[in-house]
Amino acid sequence: MIIALGVTLIPPLLLDLPWTDWIYQGLAILIVGCPCSLILSSPIALVSGMTRAARSGILIKGGVHLEQLGRLEAIAFDKTGTLTKGEPAVFAETVYDETKFYQVVGALEQSSLHPLAKAVMRHLEIKKPQCTFSEAQQVTVLPGEGIQADIGGSTFWVGSEEVLKHVRGQQEHLHAVTADIQRLKAQGYTIVAAVSEERVLGQFGLADEIRPESAEVIRQLHEAGIADTIMLTGDHEQSAQAIAKQSGVGRVFASLLPEHKVAKIKELSARKRTGMVGDGINDAPALAAADLGIAMGKGTDSAIETADVVLMQDHLGKLPGAIRTARRVNQIIKWNIAISLSLKAIALLLTIPGWLTLWIAIISDMGATIVVTLLGLTVLLGKDKSALPVPVYKTDKEQA
């Protein structure tokens, strides 16, 4: 508007040129200055990108999150329920006191909602179908360890190998138990042990089956420009490394508590743009701390509410395609801005020799608007040929 005012007034006042011609030029510049194409450079491409992602079953909660998705350099994955199915099962067990072991484990785990506890109870239903379990008293959850409770006046612990520290005495017995646990961990199993104050009662070795699409998704993410893939898990190192080897994840950080995951995400985000994929209530803080939080569709409400992107089909197969779409959207936005500003700059330069006409001004304005609109809509064209099919998981009853 300032340039248009100057073009209208300066030549007639200072150079004694015709008012009609330069009022005409000033009006033409006002038309050139209309920001229609510049304003539309981003929204149409962003809405098209979010629409395409929605068609693939991916909910993106805003244009800014779509742009961030296209800028990611690293993605961190929670293990359980993300890279794996989140349905662990008991594959091995070592029992030292059969009389108490199953009773204690059943009593402490029967009311727990943890996936490992559910897996143990499914195992006990098959192993001890006629067994009934006592009601545990004074149940206390120990973060990073497991559960502590009283049964018949005695205190017991069930959880990770960390519960072994509550055992007093019988060092030779503990050495043998530690050797058995290391043997199970070497096979990639997660440990659930039961102990009393006097001795270790036994332990289970559990494993979680990797999602069938995980390895291919990781490979496609690398091809899509995600150079760094990381797995964050509370499981022990050997179990995490076994899953990482199967999936192709580049780096692993194991034995992490929820607050450790948040710290690790902040550390990664300080170096490069990092996304976090998770599904559990414990993942919500890490999802919030990441540059972009991505939740699985069947995850907890807190994870879905916190995340910026939700994979509604509850599998990772469409994630690489969504990242490619987001990168394409970002590229189109840059092209749209460049085209819009270039056409307007050329039109303004035509005022110097006095060649700018209303027709040229209209073409530079409306023409740029049409071009950026059409370019933004091209995001909707074509199909992502590399998208993986939606896996169908059978229930335990169907598998049986």
Side-chain angles (χ1 to χ4, degrees):
M1 292 175 68
I2 292 173
I3 293 173
L5 185 62
V7 167
T8 301
L9 298 178
I10 292 174
L13 293 176
L14 299 183
L15 302 177
D16 198 26
L17 295 175
W19 281 92
T20 305
D21 294 343
W22 290 100
I23 290 175
Y24 182 92
Q25 291 289 317
L27 292 173
I29 290 174
L30 285 177
I31 294 174
V32 170
C34 289
C36 300
S37 58
L38 192 60
I39 291 174
L40 293 175
S41 296
S42 298
I44 292 179
L46 291 172
V47 171
S48 297
M50 289 189 288
T51 300
R52 178 163 185 163
R55 289 175 179 175
S56 299
I58 299 176
L59 173 63
I60 301 176
K61 299 181 181 179
V64 64
H65 304 310
L66 179 63
E67 290 186 76
Q68 192 67 274
L69 181 63
R71 296 193 183 108
L72 290 182
E73 300 170 277
I75 295 182
F77 297 87
D78 174 55
K79 180 180 78 70
T80 305
T82 303
L83 291 174
T84 64
K85 293 181 179 179
E87 298 177 356
V90 175
F91 286 90
E93 63 179 44
T94 306
V95 182
Y96 309 111
D97 188 337
E98 188 167 349
T99 303
K100 292 184 178 179
F101 177 57
Y102 297 113
Q103 284 291 337
V104 169
V105 172
L108 269 68
E109 298 282 53
Q110 61 184 344
S111 60
S112 175
L113 299 178
H114 194 281
L116 294 181
K118 292 181 179 180
V120 168
M121 292 309 298
R122 287 196 299 268
H123 177 72
L124 291 181
E125 288 175 3
I126 299 173
K127 184 84 175 181
K128 300 287 183 179
Q130 306 300 326
C131 192
T132 57
F133 305 109
S134 305
E135 189 70 27
Q137 305 295 323
Q138 298 183 354
V139 178
T140 303
V141 177
L142 306 176
E145 293 184 27
I147 301 175
Q148 172 186 320
D150 291 347
I151 302 176
S154 299
T155 303
F156 297 92
W157 293 263
V158 173
S160 68
E161 60 185 298
E162 294 294 324
V163 299
L164 268 65
K165 67 184 180 184
H166 299 289
V167 180
R168 303 289 183 265
Q170 298 191 17
Q171 294 301 315
E172 293 183 0
H173 171 62
L174 286 177
H175 288 317
V177 170
T178 302
D180 289 338
I181 288 177
Q182 291 302 322
R183 175 178 54 81
L184 292 174
K185 289 171 63 176
Q187 299 176 52
Y189 294 136
T190 298
I191 304 301
V192 173
V195 305
S196 65
E197 293 180 334
E198 294 80 22
R199 62 174 302 176
V200 179
L201 306 178
Q203 63 263 346
F204 291 115
L206 296 90
D208 193 1
E209 187 178 354
I210 190 172
R211 288 177 180 265
E213 75 272 14
S214 292
E216 181 63 18
V217 165
I218 298 299
R219 185 188 68 79
Q220 289 191 18
L221 286 174
H222 290 158
E223 291 181 353
I226 305 298
D228 195 7
T229 50
I230 307 108
M231 184 169 71
L232 308 179
T233 178
D235 285 353
H236 61 78
E237 184 72 23
Q238 290 93 330
S239 176
Q241 290 291 349
I243 296 298
K245 185 176 181 180
Q246 296 178 60
S247 63
V249 171
R251 292 193 287 164
V252 174
F253 297 97
S255 303
L256 299 178
L257 295 175
E259 57 267 28
H260 297 155
K261 289 184 181 181
V262 174
K264 183 60 65 176
I265 284 294
K266 289 181 178 179
E267 177 186 334
L268 294 169
S269 297
R271 299 176 183 175
K272 57 184 72 174
R273 295 186 183 93
T274 303
M276 170 69 189
V277 185
D279 73 320
I281 189 171
N282 290 335
D283 298 325
L287 293 174
D291 293 313
L292 187 78
I294 304 172
M296 305 298 289
K298 290 186 180 179
T300 60
D301 291 343
S302 59
I304 293 174
E305 181 69 23
T306 304
D308 308 306
V309 177
V310 182
L311 307 178
M312 301 303 295
Q313 294 177 333
D314 197 52
H315 75 102
L316 300 170
K318 299 296 179 66
L319 182 58
I323 290 176
R324 278 188 287 267
T325 297
R327 292 186 188 278
R328 183 180 172 191
V329 167
N330 288 346
Q331 187 178 26
I332 287 176
I333 289 173
K334 292 177 182 178
W335 274 104
N336 282 349
I337 293 173
I339 290 171
S340 177
L341 293 178
S342 297
L343 289 177
K344 293 184 180 297
I346 292 171
L348 286 175
L349 290 175
L350 293 178
T351 61
I352 296 174
W355 295 346
L356 182 62
T357 66
L358 285 175
W359 284 110
I360 295 176
I362 291 170
I363 290 173
S364 70
D365 178 51
M366 296 305 299
T369 301
I370 292 171
V371 169
V372 300
T373 300
L374 292 177
L375 282 177
L377 292 173
T378 59
V379 177
L380 296 171
L381 301 177
K383 294 183 178 180
D384 186 9
K385 297 181 180 180
S386 61
L388 300 176
V390 179
V392 177
Y393 300 128
K394 295 183 178 180
T395 63
D396 293 339
K397 184 176 181 180
E398 290 173 334
Q399 290 177 349

